[in-house]
Amino acid sequence: MLPKAYEPQEVEQKLADKWQKAKLFAAHVDPAKKPFVIVIPPPNITGALHMGHASTNTLQDVLIRAHRMFGENAYWVPGTDHGGIATQNVIEKKLAKEEHKSRHDLGREAFVQTVWDWYNECGNAIFNQFRKMGWSLDLSDIRFTMDEKRAKAVYECFRQWWDKKYIYRGKRLINWCVRCSTALSDIEVEHEQHAGKLWYLRYKGEDGSDGIVIATTRPETIYADAAIAVNPKDERYKNMVGKKVIIPLANRAIPIIADEAVELGFGTGALKITPAHDATDYEVGQRHNLPIMTVINDKGKMINCPEKYLGMDRELCRKETVKDLDAAGLLVKEEKYNNAVSTCYRCHSAIEPFMSEQWFVKMDKLAQPAIEAAESGALQFHPANWKNPFLNWLKNIQDWCISRQIWWGHRIPVWYCRHCSEKGLTFATDQQGREQLTKVSFEDGAQPIVSYEKPEKCPVCGGHDLVQDPDVLDTWFSSALWPISVFGWPEKTPEMDYFYPTSVMVTGYEILYLWVARMVMTGLDFTGKLPFKDVYLNGIVRDKHGQKMSKSKGNVIDPLDMTAKYGTDAVRFSLLMQAVPSKDIPYSEDSITGARNFCNKLYNASRFILMNMEGIQGPLAMPKEVTELADKWILDRFAHAIKTAREGIEKYNLALTANTLYHFLWGDFCDWYVELAKQRFQTQEKEKVMALCVNILYNTLKALHPLIPYITEEIASSLRPYVAAEGGEFLLQQAYPEFDPALCDKEAVRKMEIIQGVTREIRTIRAQFNVPPALKISAVLTAKDEADLAVVKEYEGYIKLMAKVQKLDIGVNLAKPKQTATAVFENIAIYVPLTGLIDFEKEKKRLEKDLAAAKANIASREARLAQENFIKHAPKEQIEKTKNELAAAKVALAQVTASLEDLA
Ligand SMILES: [Zn+2]
Ligand SMILES: [Zn+2]
């Protein structure tokens, strides 16, 4: 027997241990079975469980558990990500806080060792939190993006792409984070709206004329200007193109050029062109062969500028420059201006476009097969509306900057001979007094040797003095290889043969380009096969107002706090109920309370059934033949619930699965079937009714198990003696229920619809007139046609029981008694005589009060909506809210008016 109340903490601890001990989540190569494989989006090793993990991983867990129960060889491949910049930042902060040291105090080798030590101690801690969530990962089997096998895969990819000339070294304007002091790829840059300013500056003519006025958001970069550009169609400046103007404060002359890229309407129509510090200007510069001058260095300090500003921070220099321009009479005006500022996705500092030599991957050839796969439908998106953004991104793909100037990550597998590459290598002494290679320039003559390990000697001069490239690879480089590296690629392993391609990739849409697109490209390039045919992109968990959760906003919900408070199943189920395709999830504790109530309902209903099993000898088979309407009906509802639940899983619509099972269990089964069946518990039919109850309940538990594994397992273990369960000890080892068309019964459903419809109308009347719940009433059902009354006549017992009616008169054209509440369901008129049920005077007074309130509500809302000021200036939601309130008040008025008429 189940304990009186469900104690999630105890049950979860007990079952999580049992499952791991039974190796329930392990998967092995088994050619006799169809594999179903998901590789987990590897969490960062510094991570703590957040709502994003909770949502994505719960979806994956449901799919994995369900497909296991479908009889497939389901494998959820676990692993963690080394996390590049993110991890380096965390460990740097930790060092600063605990030891007041920077990474430079430790030096590169010791710092990297510190991160490794940290990883070995706590790098898999997050999996204990994952275990708590009931996620079916085999924790004896964890991979890491920087372990030896994954490192070999990274090297192999680099080597092959180098040989194919996809990987190259290039000098480009790249995104530079001054704070993290590293390059970033385009998609690691975020764009934030900042309230900034637009300054209008005068550049005087070289000939002493007034020259030209330009508008800029970055006056500190004027010292790097290479030209002023105007649109060739701009009449105002036609005569000035080709002339020269003087950069204010710098006294250097630059030409005025014409370029289509200049927007006619922006500012004054004239733009300063600063190729070294702006991506668009860089392109203009390339077209016009302009010199590239850098005035901000990699630390964000000023260089190559008038002496006064040398060494100044870029932001201070901006202020000083504006002040000096104003003093010189060259600042024409300044305006408030909202501009999009590029920021680092890890630290949110402003990105500095920066000229430097970096490693790149040429993407156009890699993108082509991925484009074809998406266009042909071989690669499917769920929801499908992600296909076009995916294609657009691939069709406009830029080369991928893969080098990062940080220490934690896969080191670039390239070496240089100090003798042969001398001119291209720059060394500096670190704080430990060791000489370190700090900069590599192919332009100046560095010669790369691609090798995983340090080559024995230089292939050119035979020298032994070889140094490795100082940069590490973008963390997404190893992530891109994840679906193949987890199975041991480039080795030909049985796992690779059997488990690859995987079945589906489940992840948040915010990393569609950063990650999903790149896995598709690498998978196709190295294996000729898509790494997965389905991409299931889930929505972001937001707060209930639709805001992103963030620590600074204070609206973060911690999933572990919630599981401690409400139980893991409630947290899982609340997320699943809202996992509607293409929608973000507005989430609050209210969502979890609803799910917790469902879990309690399930538990209490199961306890009730178990209590009534006393004296019955199991196992009971599902009855083959049923004659009672309620039995026929519940079997139909059960069959359809299973059908829809399975469809939801197959079509990646888990909200459909969750909601269907919720309504079936709570509504159809508990509220209707068990209530109707109770009266047969004391009859000869008891065994048959109990057989239906336990079997339907047990199969519903199986259907719910992938969603709420703990509570279903706990209840099922108590029910098992009474059902003929096949398979192992755990629900996961049993088969998911199948849709059985033989159980469908349209006629029974139609009859129950009428019974339920009439019952609901009577219940509504009871509520409207405040009839005490226990009080039995009388009612009259009448229609013009005898045929319309056939069902209610046959099943008047159901209606009496469910609507608490003592005396039910059913007949054609019966008269409406006095002081009677009325309702209609289809062709049936329903009369509930109120005499003796309620205190008429009191009820009239209440209704009159309600009537007055409804009228007042209508008047005030109408008045508000008539105000021009309100309609013009109030926020949209408030107007919408007022309109809804007006509509609701009108409905209330109609209802109260009708009730008052009934009392007359
Ligand atoms: Zn940064
Ligand atoms: Zn050499």
Side-chain angles (χ1 to χ4, degrees):
M1 190 61 207
L2 292 168
K4 193 146 192 267
Y6 181 63
E7 299 290 348
Q9 304 305 330
E10 254 169 64
V11 172
E12 289 168 17
Q13 185 67 40
K14 173 186 78 183
L15 289 177
D17 285 346
K18 269 194 182 176
W19 292 339
Q20 286 291 335
K21 237 180 240 152
K23 289 240 152 232
L24 214 53
F25 311 140
H28 306 284
V29 172
D30 179 0
K33 273 177 148 182
K34 184 183 162 208
F36 178 86
V37 187
I38 299 178
V39 291
I40 197 169
N44 275 352
I45 51 172
T46 50
L49 185 75
H50 56 63
M51 256 4 259
H53 294 124
S55 146
T56 306
N57 287 325
T58 298
L59 298 176
Q60 290 169 64
D61 188 51
V62 174
L63 294 175
I64 286 286
R65 284 178 182 266
H67 281 268
R68 222 172 240 274
M69 293 175 78
F70 291 171
E72 293 162 39
N73 192 1
Y75 187 19
W76 191 8
V77 189
T80 49
D81 198 299
H82 67 279
I85 301 178
T87 302
Q88 173 158 328
N89 285 353
V90 169
I91 303 292
E92 277 189 271
K93 272 187 200 149
K94 196 166 167 287
L95 261 183
K97 200 174 154 201
E98 290 168 11
E99 300 176 40
H100 305 289
K101 280 182 184 163
S102 78
R103 68 184 154 113
H104 298 284
D105 293 328
L106 267 68
R108 182 166 190 153
E109 263 174 37
F111 177 78
V112 169
Q113 190 54 51
T114 306
V115 188
W116 270 114
D117 290 345
W118 185 89
Y119 166 70
N120 289 325
E121 261 172 59
C122 10
N124 284 327
I126 193 166
F127 279 106
N128 286 326
Q129 305 174 358
F130 279 27
R131 194 180 107 122
K132 179 103 201 15
M133 292 300 295
W135 294 333
S136 56
L137 293 153
D138 177 10
L139 299 183
S140 61
D141 185 34
I142 298 173
R143 288 124 174 102
F144 178 45
T145 53
M146 250 168 71
D147 63 22
E148 202 185 334
K149 280 188 181 160
R150 268 40 74 179
K152 291 246 168 80
V154 163
Y155 169 69
E156 185 60 20
C157 170
F158 191 98
R159 190 190 62 78
Q160 288 199 25
W161 283 356
W162 173 257
D163 289 347
K164 285 196 213 170
K165 303 213 162 33
Y166 290 175
I167 286 186
Y168 65 93
R169 184 89 181 163
K171 190 167 188 178
R172 293 279 180 81
L173 197 68
I174 46 94
N175 305 297
W176 183 265
C177 176
V178 170
R179 219 291 315 162
C180 301
S181 116
T182 180
L184 295 171
S185 70
D186 290 340
I187 39 181
E188 287 171 306
V189 172
E190 291 180 350
H191 304 277
E192 294 171 10
Q193 284 295 323
H194 278 209
K197 277 184 179 157
L198 190 61
W199 287 276
Y200 290 77
L201 315 180
R202 179 171 302 282
Y203 285 50
K204 288 200 163 160
E206 198 184 27
D207 54 7
S209 65
D210 272 353
I212 200 162
V213 175
I214 59 104
T216 180
T217 56
R218 299 203 61 190
E220 73 280 13
T221 63
I222 58 172
Y223 314 112
D225 287 351
I228 300 293
V230 296
N231 191 293
K233 290 195 194 90
D234 198 329
E235 292 296 329
R236 291 172 291 179
Y237 302 119
K238 263 223 157 114
N239 299 326
M240 297 181 77
V241 173
K243 291 193 173 150
K244 285 193 166 177
V245 289
I246 306 286
I247 301 173
L249 307 181
N251 297 324
R252 183 161 57 81
I254 49 169
I256 296 175
I257 60 170
D259 194 285
E260 302 275 355
V262 181
E263 258 181 78
L264 277 165
F266 178 78
T268 61
L271 284 182
K272 69 194 211 59
I273 301 299
T274 320
H277 296 288
D278 182 275
T280 315
D281 291 7
Y282 177 76
E283 283 165 24
V284 177
Q286 296 291 94
R287 281 200 286 277
H288 296 269
N289 238 333
L290 298 174
I292 298 172
M293 249 186 84
T294 303
V295 294
I296 300 170
N297 72 5
D298 58 351
K299 308 272 187 302
K301 305 271 190 240
M302 300 303 297
I303 52 170
N304 303 324
C305 60
E307 212 179 327
K308 179 178 173 193
Y309 315 107
L310 275 179
M312 240 181 221
D313 195 81
R314 54 185 172 162
E315 274 160 35
L316 180 62
C317 179
R318 175 180 298 179
K319 280 190 198 134
E320 290 296 313
T321 299
V322 170
K323 215 161 77 188
D324 296 341
L325 284 166
D326 194 17
L330 298 170
L331 176 65
V332 179
K333 62 171 171 174
E334 57 177 57
E335 276 177 359
K336 280 193 181 147
Y337 182 66
N338 278 338
N339 59 333
V341 173
S342 307
T343 57
C344 169
Y345 82 136
R346 284 302 172 206
C347 75
H348 297 280
S349 316
I351 288 294
E352 196 61 57
F354 187 65
M355 277 302 292
S356 75
E357 244 190 71
Q358 299 285 342
W359 289 97
F360 290 90
V361 183
K362 200 164 126 45
M363 297 307 289
D364 51 351
K365 281 197 186 127
L366 284 167
Q368 204 48 47
I371 291 171
E372 281 157 24
E375 274 176 347
S376 73
L379 183 65
Q380 290 280 332
F381 293 89
H382 310 270
N385 54 9
W386 280 106
K387 177 178 161 181
N388 281 332
F390 182 82
L391 277 170
N392 281 339
W393 187 76
L394 283 175
K395 285 176 180 171
N396 297 299
I397 199 162
Q398 304 287 314
D399 285 358
W400 175 13
C401 175
I402 49 168
S403 39
R404 298 288 179 274
Q405 288 69 47
I406 58 171
W407 290 350
W408 177 243
H410 290 281
R411 192 104 176 234
I412 304 244
V414 171
W415 304 76
Y416 309 96
C417 165
R418 285 192 70 162
H419 173 71
C420 301
S421 296
E422 200 194 340
K423 285 194 182 126
L425 305 179
T426 311
F427 290 84
T429 308
D430 67 11
Q431 287 181 28
Q432 289 67 41
R434 269 182 305 229
E435 198 177 34
Q436 299 282 4
L437 175 58
T438 54
K439 221 168 130 188
V440 175
S441 169
F442 280 35
E443 256 181 14
D444 295 337
Q447 309 278 337
I449 308 162
V450 173
S451 172
Y452 184 66
E453 277 162 356
K454 187 174 186 172
E456 230 167 79
K457 56 181 187 196
C458 168
V460 179
C461 73
H464 293 281
D465 201 357
L466 292 139
V467 283
Q468 188 168 9
D469 196 289
D471 290 355
V472 300
L473 287 163
D474 178 4
T475 189
W476 296 99
F477 194 90
S478 50
S479 312
L481 296 165
W482 190 238
I484 54 178
S485 69
V486 291
F487 301 122
W489 182 89
E491 304 291 324
K492 288 193 182 355
T493 63
E495 285 77 18
M496 188 70 194
D497 258 1
Y498 177 73
F499 289 120
Y500 187 88
T502 68
S503 308
V504 54
M505 171 49 61
V506 184
T507 190
Y509 61 78
E510 71 277 16
I511 50 175
L512 178 63
Y513 313 127
L514 272 173
W515 192 39
V516 178
R518 286 167 177 165
M519 287 188 284
V520 169
M521 289 187 274
T522 53
L524 284 168
D525 192 50
F526 293 119
T527 71
K529 291 180 201 160
L530 282 166
F532 30 76
K533 68 173 196 336
D534 286 321
V535 178
Y536 173 11
L537 296 162
N538 59 271
I540 295 176
V541 183
R542 297 174 180 274
D543 75 4
K544 65 175 162 193
H545 307 294
Q547 299 275 328
K548 237 182 169 172
M549 287 187 185
S550 76
K551 272 189 198 149
S552 55
K553 283 191 203 129
N555 61 352
V556 172
I557 296 180
D558 181 339
L560 289 177
D561 289 351
M562 295 301 111
T563 56
K565 196 162 164 192
Y566 298 100
T568 298
D569 291 318
V571 175
R572 293 174 59 120
F573 203 65
S574 61
L575 286 164
L576 292 165
M577 293 275 287
Q578 296 189 81
V580 178
S582 68
K583 290 244 160 55
D584 283 348
I585 299 179
Y587 201 69
S588 70
E589 268 191 75
D590 299 345
S591 326
I592 316 175
T593 331
R596 196 260 327 262
N597 294 346
F598 173 69
C599 291
N600 287 343
K601 183 80 192 175
L602 174 61
Y603 190 80
N604 293 336
S606 306
R607 254 191 113 247
F608 177 75
I609 289 169
L610 275 166
M611 266 162 27
N612 283 286
M613 291 306 290
E614 255 163 57
I616 290 181
Q617 197 63 339
L620 301 175
M622 185 82 113
K624 289 231 158 49
E625 200 86 13
V626 292
T627 49
E628 181 69 33
L629 173 66
D631 299 349
K632 291 182 185 170
W633 169 78
I634 196 64
L635 286 172
D636 176 283
R637 295 331 297 149
F638 168 69
H640 279 96
I642 295 304
K643 184 168 182 255
T644 314
R646 289 187 80 114
E647 269 168 19
I649 293 163
E650 272 146 21
K651 293 181 179 155
Y652 305 114
N653 183 351
L654 297 180
L656 179 65
T657 303
N659 286 293
T660 301
L661 295 171
Y662 175 99
H663 290 297
F664 170 72
L665 193 280
W666 195 321
D668 294 341
F669 185 70
C670 293
D671 286 352
W672 286 91
Y673 184 70
V674 176
E675 288 303 319
L676 283 170
K678 268 182 197 168
Q679 54 180 354
R680 291 192 280 154
F681 283 5
Q682 312 309 333
T683 68
Q684 284 175 341
E685 285 201 294
K686 175 164 185 179
E687 195 157 308
K688 192 176 201 177
V689 176
M690 293 322 292
L692 279 163
C693 282
V694 286
N695 279 289
I696 290 173
L697 177 61
Y698 192 80
N699 278 296
T700 309
L701 290 172
K702 284 206 272 184
L704 278 165
H705 181 64
L707 295 85
I708 43 175
Y710 288 118
I711 192 169
T712 47
E713 189 90 281
E714 179 69 1
I715 299 171
S717 64
S718 294
L719 271 182
R720 195 156 301 129
Y722 301 109
V723 292
E726 285 167 23
E729 178 192 352
F730 301 104
L731 284 179
L732 203 54
Q733 295 165 320
Q734 298 173 23
Y736 201 85
E738 299 257 8
F739 168 60
D740 181 357
L743 298 181
C744 296
D745 191 331
K746 267 195 191 153
E747 202 194 319
V749 171
R750 174 65 193 138
K751 284 180 177 170
M752 273 302 283
E753 247 171 39
I754 297 169
I755 293 158
Q756 289 180 317
V758 170
T759 303
R760 279 195 196 103
E761 291 298 339
I762 298 174
R763 285 177 175 173
T764 308
I765 291 171
R766 295 184 68 116
Q768 253 172 353
F769 289 97
N770 277 336
V771 179
L775 194 63
K776 297 250 179 167
I777 58 171
S778 58
V780 177
L781 303 179
T782 182
K784 289 203 178 76
D785 205 329
E786 184 75 42
D788 288 325
L789 296 170
V791 172
V792 289
K793 262 190 180 158
E794 192 178 354
Y795 297 100
E796 65 171 329
Y798 284 20
I799 297 171
K800 281 174 150 176
L801 179 70
M802 298 306 286
K804 297 213 167 76
V805 175
Q806 196 160 29
K807 182 169 174 287
L808 188 62
D809 291 328
I810 305 173
V812 179
N813 290 330
L814 296 183
K816 180 183 168 213
K818 265 195 175 167
Q819 295 186 315
T820 288
T822 57
V824 171
F825 179 77
E826 294 182 356
N827 292 329
I828 303 169
I830 300 156
Y831 303 137
V832 176
L834 298 168
T835 322
L837 283 186
I838 54 170
D839 179 335
F840 272 74
E841 283 317 305
K842 213 171 122 198
E843 190 57 25
K844 244 186 207 163
K845 267 190 196 145
R846 182 184 73 90
L847 288 168
E848 269 155 9
K849 227 166 116 191
D850 287 355
L851 187 77
K855 281 182 178 163
N857 279 338
I858 292 172
S860 77
R861 300 312 186 275
E862 275 176 347
R864 196 178 306 160
L865 288 167
Q867 280 170 21
E868 211 173 299
N869 237 349
F870 179 73
I871 295 295
K872 264 190 188 158
H873 303 297
K876 255 192 196 144
E877 307 92 72
Q878 210 183 324
I879 298 177
E880 212 36 50
K881 195 177 152 229
T882 310
K883 283 185 179 166
N884 290 339
E885 285 168 354
L886 177 63
K890 282 184 174 167
V891 171
L893 179 71
Q895 273 173 356
V896 176
T897 310
S899 299
L900 274 169
E901 277 165 19
D902 288 338
L903 288 186

